[in-house]
Amino acid sequence: MRVFGVTGWKNNGKTGLMERLIAEITRRGFTVSTTKHAHHRFDIDKEGKDSYRHRVAGAKQVLLSSSQRWALLDELRGEEEPYLAEHLSRLDPVDLVLVEGFKAARHPKIEVHRESAAREPLIALDDLTIRAVATDTAAPEGLGPDVLVFDLDDTAAIADFVLEQVGLVTKPKPDLPPLRDDCFALPDGVEWTPVETALATLRDRLKCVVRSETVPVSAACGRIAAQDILAPRDNPPTANSAVDGYGFANPTAQEAYHLTLVDGRAAAGAPYQSVVPAGHAVRILTGAALPAGVDSVVMQEDVQLVGNELRFSGPLKPRANARKAGEDVRKGSVIVAEGEEITPQAIALLSATGCDEVEVRALLRVGVLSTGDELVPAGEAASPTQTYDANRPMLLELARAWGFEPVDLGHVPDNRAALKTALDQGAESADVIFTSGGASAGDEDHVSALLSEQGTLHHWRIALKPGRPLALAMWGGVPVFGLPGNPVAAFVCALIFARPSLGVLAGAPWRSPLAFQVPADFTKKKKAGRREYLRGRLNSDGTVSAFESEGSGRISGLHWANGLIEVEEDRTQISEGELVRFLPFAGFGI
Ligand SMILES: Nc1nc2c(c(=O)[nH]1)N[C@H]1C(S)=C(S)[C@@H](COP(=O)(O)OP(=O)(O)OC[C@H]3O[C@@H](n4cnc5c(N)ncnc54)[C@H](O)[C@@H]3O)O[C@H]1N2
Ligand code: MOO
């Protein structure tokens, strides 16, 4: 539940601001409930009233009800005052709960401050839950840099702020700034980079590089939401029946019901137009709006119809088999959050609440270039000293499987001029470039050499097997992932480093892979200090096997495996039956 508080010292105008905010936020179409902390002896009951007499006689709870409102009075009778969270759990779902008082609770708040009433120092000076101060004077001194200051009477600005803070509206984003050329630089002196350091550097330095566009919901599957998407209406939009049966009002604890059936019926899309009088029932079908005078439904299997008299046995709970309006989704609530990938399930939710178009990120274009004199595309004649290009087709398909737009930049020989031309073209037609091969420092490792000549290369020697050399650079403002040539190393680096990075470039949050612990059915020794990824296959008995070879050119092992086994840096041995971390390929979206 979204909660925001209004706090402040006595007589500074908390209730006034609450009142103005409730009016402003409900006027904008959001539903609001409130909670207020009051003086310990407060009483909304009146001496001599019936409810008061029930209470004095010893009732623990007294529930008062009328056709306009109901109230529940709970006498603590010496018990501890409940925490705010407990109170909030009692409220019906709404877009926003505004809380007056409850200074000590940890929800975010705005503090009200009136110069004439200020007797004590601002609470905001040493309470980090205060996100803003609303004041009738100049900005008070000593506030933290993140605490905003508002004019106490500028209700619209304060409402904008509250709605943004709780995520009900999104502030329009400025144009996307370019990535900086040094965004891959590692701290001085770092030689062998631990995997986690490399990941943290990527996570911290990269940001979204694609603009947003509006697409119909029918074309939005797999795309990334560019802003929070709010429900245009409640789901269900009106109270309706969950079953085929008979609708009536106010079930009680009575044992036997005899109700008179009215003419007509309520069906989904064809509501019953008149009021169902007390003591009567109406035929109602699943999904039909509850007619006026109906709040509960008895299933048709549980009734007897004698003439137009409906008989059934109780007791039946109040609102039995009735779905409340908005019980699933409230109008204005966030149904898909910014950065979320739109799944078929999200499409159902968007469609159910009436969204027909959504603002999504433009597809990230992933350029793939393979390098090396020895490479030949499949389909061409190749001598035994030549190698069929496996990385480029693999990387293009990974990009497609991850929901990006693959851009085939072809293959270049080990020639710096050809590589430069290909990278220039890549920077025009793609948002990020994968190269494979030439990533280490051999005579023919032109990718490293060229990127380093341009001065933007950061050669990362990762404490990782396979995938030790990883070249990262900017080319024409576009990030380049220089993946190692060995296909298994290229694949592991793509999954571990490129996938979460590409997600961020595409507008999604950083995603760590899905992993779980399973017993190994193999033994292995390893050097301490580096992380290893083995090709693993989860067996039907719940154990995991490792591929027979750790050779970085053994592509058949990639095809054999259904995930990676992650062996931590400090581990030197795995014995049969010991738990290992398994990262299924399905968790990488492949
Ligand atoms: N003296 C050293 N030699 C090597 C080191 C090292 O640290 N010192 N590292 C080894 C490791 S680990 C790897 S991984 C590779 C990576 O080197 P490169 O990225 O420069 O890759 P290449 O030398 O160009 O190729 C390596 C290997 O992969 C084959 N390959 C390349 N591209 C493709 C492709 N598109 N499809 C299929 N196969 C490809 C290439 O033919 C080579 O066999 O360096 C080690 N050496
Ligand atoms: O680490 Mo290399 O990347 O073994 O293949």
Side-chain angles (χ1 to χ4, degrees):
M1 196 175 266
R2 295 184 176 80
V3 178
F4 203 88
V6 173
T7 193
W9 297 110
K10 209 165 166 246
N11 294 331
N12 273 258
K14 290 192 289 291
T15 310
L17 180 60
M18 282 286 286
E19 229 176 351
R20 295 193 294 278
L21 281 178
I22 299 164
E24 176 68 20
I25 293 173
T26 47
R27 191 187 58 74
R28 294 187 193 189
F30 298 105
T31 49
V32 177
S33 291
T34 67
T35 308
K36 177 182 162 65
H37 196 261
H39 190 270
H40 69 281
R41 294 184 58 86
F42 89 93
D43 202 343
I44 60 167
D45 209 357
K46 286 215 177 69
E47 194 169 343
K49 291 284 174 195
D50 295 351
S51 53
Y52 184 91
R53 291 168 59 189
H54 297 185
R55 190 173 98 199
V56 170
K60 172 75 178 86
Q61 294 191 313
V62 179
L63 196 148
L64 270 110
S65 180
S66 77
S67 60
Q68 302 274 313
R69 64 189 62 86
W70 63 268
L72 180 64
L73 296 171
D74 189 305
E75 281 296 296
L76 288 173
R77 298 197 187 282
E79 282 170 33
E80 249 184 61
E81 181 180 348
Y83 288 113
L84 176 62
E86 210 176 318
H87 287 312
L88 294 175
S89 69
R90 294 195 179 94
L91 297 177
D92 283 343
V94 275
D95 298 327
L96 174 65
V97 180
L98 286 173
V99 176
E100 181 177 338
F102 287 97
K103 263 197 221 73
R106 304 318 293 156
H107 58 286
K109 312 176 186 86
I110 185 166
E111 178 174 1
V112 285
H113 169 258
R114 273 205 308 226
E115 198 173 23
S116 56
R119 311 251 177 284
E120 318 240 11
L122 276 177
I123 306 168
L125 294 177
D126 50 17
D127 182 339
L128 293 177
T129 65
I130 312 278
R131 303 287 157 82
V133 171
T135 176
D136 63 353
T137 169
E141 281 181 11
L143 292 176
D146 299 334
V147 180
L148 301 189
V149 176
F150 291 97
D151 178 338
L152 183 55
D153 291 324
D154 193 351
T155 311
I158 300 175
D160 287 345
F161 168 75
V162 170
L163 293 173
E164 267 165 35
Q165 286 278 307
V166 297
L168 280 171
V169 297
T170 320
K171 207 182 192 162
K173 292 231 165 64
D175 259 7
L176 299 165
L179 290 172
R180 286 160 37 150
D181 274 353
D182 67 349
C183 76
F184 297 126
L186 286 171
D188 281 347
V190 171
E191 266 228 23
W192 282 101
T193 312
V195 174
E196 287 307 323
T197 308
L199 291 173
T201 307
L202 292 168
R203 189 177 52 223
D204 296 345
R205 307 279 175 82
L206 295 174
K207 52 187 171 1
C208 178
V209 294
V210 284
R211 301 188 182 278
S212 52
E213 60 189 24
T214 305
V215 298
V217 165
S218 57
C221 198
R223 304 293 293 272
I224 292 165
Q227 58 186 38
D228 285 350
I229 304 170
L230 308 183
R233 70 168 188 175
D234 280 351
N235 187 48
T238 177
N240 67 79
S241 175
V243 296
D244 293 333
Y246 298 88
F248 64 103
N250 295 325
T252 56
Q254 77 196 64
E255 293 288 298
Y257 287 82
H258 298 264
L259 302 173
T260 308
L261 197 62
V262 295
D263 285 338
R265 64 168 205 173
Y272 180 76
Q273 302 289 1
S274 14
V275 180
V276 177
H280 288 65
V282 65
R283 175 73 173 136
I284 192 163
L285 303 181
T286 306
L290 297 188
V294 170
D295 63 12
S296 308
V297 181
V298 56
M299 282 177 78
Q300 63 190 30
E301 292 85 336
D302 296 336
V303 304
Q304 254 191 324
L305 201 52
V306 181
N308 71 343
E309 190 188 69
L310 190 72
R311 297 178 188 168
F312 55 94
S313 308
L316 224 74
K317 283 193 188 148
R319 289 182 294 282
N321 298 314
R323 305 163 173 158
K324 274 200 238 170
E327 69 175 17
D328 181 32
V329 176
R330 298 309 297 252
K331 177 182 171 185
S333 62
V334 177
I335 44 176
V336 176
E338 180 189 350
E340 221 184 286
E341 181 179 327
I342 297 175
T343 58
Q345 304 87 297
I347 297 277
L349 189 54
L350 291 163
S351 306
T353 49
C355 286
D356 62 341
E357 23 182 59
V358 284
E359 191 78 358
V360 294
R361 289 286 167 198
L363 280 185
L364 184 80
R365 296 164 305 162
V366 182
V368 180
L369 177 68
S370 54
T371 69
D373 284 344
E374 76 283 20
L375 298 183
V376 175
E380 279 184 20
S383 75
T385 58
Q386 289 183 306
T387 303
Y388 279 120
D389 187 351
N391 290 349
R392 185 158 49 103
M394 171 180 76
L395 294 169
L396 286 166
E397 287 317 311
L398 280 178
R400 196 192 313 279
W402 293 336
F404 308 130
E405 184 184 325
V407 179
D408 190 350
L409 301 178
H411 155 242
V412 289
D414 290 320
N415 167 322
R416 233 166 268 193
L419 183 61
K420 184 175 177 315
T421 309
L423 286 173
D424 284 343
Q425 282 166 358
E428 288 294 315
S429 56
D431 302 304
V432 54
I433 299 174
F434 282 166
T435 64
S436 88
S440 56
D443 302 344
E444 299 294 342
D445 289 337
H446 295 286
V447 174
S448 302
L450 182 65
L451 295 174
S452 132
E453 263 169 34
Q454 304 290 318
T456 62
L457 175 77
H458 295 286
H459 212 143
W460 288 13
R461 279 152 45 97
I462 315 259
L464 171 68
K465 184 183 165 204
R468 202 165 22 163
L470 180 63
L472 292 160
M474 296 294 294
W475 187 273
V478 169
V480 179
F481 281 77
L483 302 171
N486 277 326
V488 179
F491 178 80
V492 167
C493 282
L495 260 54
I496 303 299
F497 298 109
R499 178 175 180 260
S501 304
L502 265 49
V504 173
L505 294 171
W510 180 272
R511 275 177 299 183
S512 300
L514 175 71
F516 44 87
Q517 302 275 347
V518 283
D521 83 341
F522 60 92
T523 58
K524 173 186 160 64
K525 284 200 185 316
K526 119 171 203 312
K527 282 191 196 149
R530 71 175 183 210
R531 185 179 293 185
E532 293 192 12
Y533 286 99
L534 311 177
R535 279 144 279 182
R537 185 163 165 150
L538 191 64
N539 302 309
S540 54
D541 64 359
T543 61
V544 66
S545 305
F547 187 56
E548 60 186 23
S549 159
E550 292 179 17
S552 198
R554 294 282 302 268
I555 304 176
S556 65
L558 290 180
H559 175 57
W560 170 89
N562 53 20
L564 295 175
I565 300 164
E566 185 176 87
V567 193
E568 301 82 354
E569 284 78 353
D570 55 356
R571 198 153 179 187
T572 54
Q573 169 145 1
I574 297 170
S575 305
E576 210 173 317
E578 278 182 8
L579 291 179
V580 290
R581 245 168 93 79
F582 181 70
L583 285 53
F585 286 156
F588 290 102
I590 52 176

